[in-house]
Amino acid sequence: MLPWIQLDSATIPGETGELRLKQRGSEFSIMLGANELMNSRLSGSEEALATLSWDRIKAHPKPRILIGGLGMGFTLRAALAVLPEDAGVTVAELVPAVVAWARGPMAEVFKGCLDDPRVGIHQGDVGEAIRAGKAAYDAILLDVDNGPDGLTRKSNDRLYDFAGLRTARDALRPGGVLAVWSSGPDADFTRRLKGSGFAVDAINTRANGKRGGARHVIWLAVKPVR
């Protein structure tokens, strides 16, 4: 078996943790300590984050989407595959190296999706983009951590508390959806979403789509039309 080779590392702004990009043959992995945050062979649940969200907003004209976390681009690519030509997608990525990896060693994984004219990059905290947008988005897709607890960045917790959820609701247009990826269930988070005025579905999905893999959860929280 081929050994893993570390290609690069990057600090996380405001945190002591370090992201490490590794490669084994055509396979890539992004690690934080002993935790694998993402792997290029496991894309099913990240793709579902985009496609399930699109099902909720596909009647919206000229949809505007905010994706929190570039990762390996699976959510972005899945969104671009279903969105119309007049859509707009903003990807918020805190770690500059992740964007550099997308254009460099992982270019084949990304397949040029960052060059799509519908895509713009917000280099910074997704929370900033959410706070700056008043009824700006039809969907906000969050995959910035291991779920609604701050594994990579403790300050991510504020995205998922009551204040953060109300801010996200205000950034959505009527009928818009806040979609959150998680490595596992969280009943308290479901209650917070409902308490923040969303209609909520928690959907079980698999890391490798129909081929199985680890069980993940995607919350779809829809802002009421009225």
Side-chain angles (χ1 to χ4, degrees), residues 70 76 80 91 99 102-103 110-117 119 121:
L70 176 59
L76 174 60
L80 293 174
V91 181
V99 180
R103 297 190 183 281
F110 278 80
K111 300 185 185 301
C113 65
L114 292 183
D115 298 321
D116 189 298
V119 176
I121 298 292

Side-chain angles (χ1 to χ4, degrees), residues 6-81:
Q6 182 167 316
L7 301 181
D8 197 10
S9 63
T11 58
I12 303 172
E15 301 292 325
T16 58
E18 181 181 71
L19 297 180
R20 293 178 290 124
L21 176 63
K22 300 172 70 175
Q23 183 178 10
R24 180 173 64 186
S26 60
E27 180 182 5
F28 292 90
S29 174
I30 295 179
M31 305 283 296
L32 175 67
N35 295 302
E36 183 177 61
L37 300 181
M38 58 205 77
N39 185 289
S40 60
R41 291 186 176 179
L42 301 172
S43 61
S45 59
E46 288 86 351
E47 292 165 354
L49 184 66
T51 55
L52 291 171
S53 300
W54 172 242
D55 286 342
R56 299 301 199 276
I57 65 162
K58 55 188 175 185
H60 292 210
K62 297 182 179 180
R64 293 295 178 265
I65 313 297
L66 174 63
I67 297 177
L70 176 59
M72 292 187 175
F74 296 126
T75 298
L76 174 60
R77 285 172 52 196
L80 293 174

